[in-house]
Amino acid sequence: MNKKPIVYIAGFECFMKNKEELAKKSIDLCEKLGFVGISPVIGSTFGKEIDFSKGKKEAAKQIFLNNINYIDKCDIVIANINNFRGWEPDGGTSFEIGYAYSQGKRIYGFMNDIRPCYEKYIGSINNTDGMWRDDNGAFFENGCCNLMISGHAIIVEGTFEDALKKAKEDLDI
């Protein structure tokens, strides 16, 4: 029997009040579709229990090391790359995507809206020189998010479940 692929669940859900419920739902979806899910919210046997008694800085270091360890152990990263607290995906999730790429992991991202960034921008845009530019004159990349993510990740419009189904299809599970 083949081993089930391990999915690291990345995203800003860890900041939500119902983070455990969201993590459990994602892990259950992984199991249902033939994967093993690892959520940094719930942890796994690959991580160490976080000791919050040593202060926030030490706890942050432990969380960072656990998440790196989880990514090292996984086969696939599925990341929520919807905008978080502004125009771009969560910074921690973006780091995890980059780290996973450097480790040769397969990466899937999901977004509610995969139109090009200039179509989603809520400020003024212009295209007087053949490039879409924002209010400050900075040009937009052509993808649905920064090319450092969209340049190598498989981006799915929809939800975590949609990205997981795409991974299942790609891996022929």
Side-chain angles (χ1 to χ4, degrees):
M1 182 166 106
N2 293 336
K3 140 184 137 63
K4 291 181 179 182
I6 299 171
V7 172
Y8 177 78
I9 304 163
F12 56 79
E13 291 81 1
C14 61
F15 298 107
M16 303 301 182
K17 285 184 179 180
N18 63 338
K19 62 188 174 195
E20 289 88 2
E21 175 187 336
L22 295 170
K24 177 142 178 33
K25 181 179 176 187
S26 294
I27 289 169
D28 289 348
L29 277 169
C30 287
E31 185 65 31
K32 178 181 172 186
L33 293 176
F35 298 92
V36 174
I38 298 175
S39 168
V41 171
I42 295 175
S44 83
T45 57
F46 305 131
K48 297 179 180 176
E49 188 170 339
I50 306 302
D51 182 0
F52 290 97
S53 71
K54 294 182 179 180
K56 290 182 180 180
K57 187 173 181 178
E58 183 59 31
K61 182 179 177 182
Q62 291 174 12
I63 291 167
F64 173 86
L65 292 173
N66 268 1
N67 292 359
I68 292 296
N69 193 32
Y70 296 150
I71 294 168
D72 287 343
K73 303 288 189 214
C74 80
D75 303 298
I76 301 165
V77 170
I78 298 185
N80 181 348
I81 55 173
N82 284 295
N83 297 345
F84 180 64
R85 295 183 179 147
W87 175 247
E88 294 283 344
D90 169 54
T93 302
S94 296
F95 175 86
E96 291 170 328
I97 290 168
Y99 179 75
Y101 175 79
S102 77
Q103 301 303 302
K105 306 299 179 175
R106 185 180 289 251
I107 303 164
Y108 291 82
F110 63 93
M111 299 178 80
N112 297 331
D113 185 351
I114 61 169
R115 292 178 296 149
C117 289
Y118 67 87
E119 289 185 20
K120 298 184 281 188
Y121 186 66
I122 58 173
S124 299
I125 61 170
N126 69 65
N127 188 357
T128 57
D129 64 352
M131 298 194 71
W132 291 104
R133 295 188 180 275
D134 66 17
D135 314 78
N136 298 314
F139 74 88
F140 288 95
E141 295 164 321
N142 291 325
C144 58
C145 61
N146 187 287
L147 70 82
M148 296 303 285
I149 295 174
S150 65
H152 64 276
I154 298 167
I155 309 294
V156 175
E157 187 167 30
T159 64
F160 175 81
E161 183 174 5
D162 296 319
L164 194 61
K165 286 179 178 177
K166 174 67 174 148
K168 180 179 176 68
E169 175 186 312
D170 289 352
L171 295 172
D172 197 27
I173 294 175

